Amino acid sequence: MRRPRSTRWCSTSGGRGSGPPPRTSTSPTRTWSGRFERRRVASRIARGTRLLAPVDREEWGPAPTTVNCLYNPMLNQLTVEGASLAAPSAFEDPAVLLGRYGSIIGHELGHALDSRGSQRDELGRVRDWWSADDRAAFEERAARVVADVDGCHPRGIEDAVVDGRLVGFEVVAELVSYQIAWDTYASMTTADERATPVDGFTGAQRFFLAKTYGRRGIDRPETARARLHGDVHPPFEVFANLARHLDAFHEAFATRPGDGMWLDPEDRVRVY
């Protein structure tokens, strides 16, 4: 599949836009297994060809049907695939736009701004661009976020807990996403607009609800238990509950000590 320059899809052919390798009398191209084998071999050839070519910074790797977003540190590239987005009507409310989709972009930016991202420059080259003070400050704040989620019990799982060290990079990126998205929303709106209710919820409340709805998900107990031991992403409720680190969340919902989402102000972490 080809797109205009600057959004060119990754090809599994033997070269750029050259089409698949020619058929031979020994290629079982009329079977699914044969087609799979041809594409696998063509993909290996294409990867080998790229090793000798200049870096293509205009290529878009993931398929448009992928339900995911990612950050590629080797290209300093952030991608949001179309299948991750909702209908255009979802973008009419700035609170929903920034709460759900702005935070997706913010999460991937968080990876570019963490201690791993600090090891690559704007072109993805291996260069450390942090000072020693920058790194020490980040590590101290990241450790507090890790400690906050470490030992959490996912819903329905009582015999396993979240390993904060395993999910550390992801929860820090998620907290950064909250902060980037909220700061952007606050800069785009007035205090009166954020306080105006729509369907019973103020703009600030809609922002956090949109963020939470965007992290909805449920796993069977067996899957949830396995993910706790091998997935660098924590259960979705851990992501959603990071909202308690934002003063704006507590102001929006008027939380107070004793509430389930309450976090003492001195324990709230702002990474940046």
Side-chain angles (χ1 to χ4, degrees):
M1 183 184 297
R2 300 276 294 190
R3 294 288 297 271
R5 284 182 64 84
S6 79
T7 54
R8 187 167 53 239
W9 301 112
C10 179
S11 171
T12 56
S13 66
R16 295 283 175 202
S18 61
R23 295 185 180 183
T24 67
S25 59
T26 58
S27 298
T29 57
R30 295 188 181 277
T31 66
W32 282 110
S33 60
R35 292 173 186 170
F36 176 82
E37 180 64 14
R38 287 181 66 241
R39 291 182 67 85
R40 186 184 70 83
V41 172
S43 180
R44 292 181 63 184
I45 294 173
R47 288 198 298 270
T49 302
R50 293 192 189 105
L51 291 176
L52 304 176
V55 175
D56 185 355
R57 299 185 180 278
E58 297 181 342
E59 183 177 76
W60 182 290
T65 54
T66 302
V67 184
N68 194 19
C69 306
L70 59 91
Y71 172 72
N72 182 351
M74 291 182 287
L75 291 175
N76 193 25
Q77 180 190 70
L78 184 159
T79 57
V80 179
E81 287 69 67
S84 302
L85 303 177
S89 59
F91 302 107
E92 296 175 357
D93 183 351
V96 174
L97 173 64
L98 274 301
R100 184 164 184 176
Y101 300 104
S103 64
I104 290 175
I105 297 174
H107 179 103
E108 304 308 332
L109 285 175
H111 288 307
L113 299 172
D114 63 19
S115 56
R116 289 178 179 173
S118 72
Q119 298 171 17
R120 291 183 179 270
D121 65 11
E122 72 279 6
L123 295 177
R125 297 170 298 190
V126 180
R127 293 182 182 176
D128 190 341
W129 51 277
W130 277 9
S131 69
D133 289 342
D134 290 337
R135 190 168 302 279
F138 176 87
E139 296 293 353
E140 185 273 331
R141 296 169 191 174
R144 292 171 59 194
V145 180
V146 168
D148 180 46
V149 303
D150 189 56
C152 291
H153 281 280
R155 292 170 296 174
I157 304 296
E158 298 299 330
D159 58 347
V161 297
V162 173
D163 182 347
R165 292 174 299 176
L166 176 64
V167 302
F169 281 99
E170 292 297 331
V171 293
V172 169
E174 186 72 359
L175 181 54
V176 170
S177 82
Y178 267 111
Q179 295 167 346
I180 290 176
W182 173 260
D183 289 348
T184 304
Y185 174 58
S187 70
M188 292 173 55
T189 56
T190 65
D192 288 342
E193 289 173 331
R194 295 192 294 275
T196 301
V198 174
D199 295 330
F201 297 100
T202 66
Q205 291 172 338
R206 296 196 307 278
F207 171 92
F208 288 104
L209 289 173
K211 174 63 176 173
T212 302
Y213 272 104
R215 286 303 187 185
R216 287 180 301 173
I218 189 169
D219 290 323
R220 288 185 294 181
E222 297 80 5
T223 302
R225 201 172 283 109
R227 291 184 62 184
L228 286 173
H229 296 293
D231 193 344
V232 297
H233 299 83
F236 285 140
E237 62 261 37
V238 173
F239 270 162
N241 289 342
L242 289 171
R244 67 197 192 125
H245 283 276
L246 275 75
D247 294 338
F249 171 82
H250 297 280
E251 295 169 2
F253 292 96
T255 62
R256 55 188 177 181
D259 291 342
M261 287 288 286
W262 174 259
L263 188 64
D264 291 335
E266 61 270 21
D267 294 327
R268 300 170 195 173
V269 179
R270 183 176 179 92
V271 181
Y272 293 111

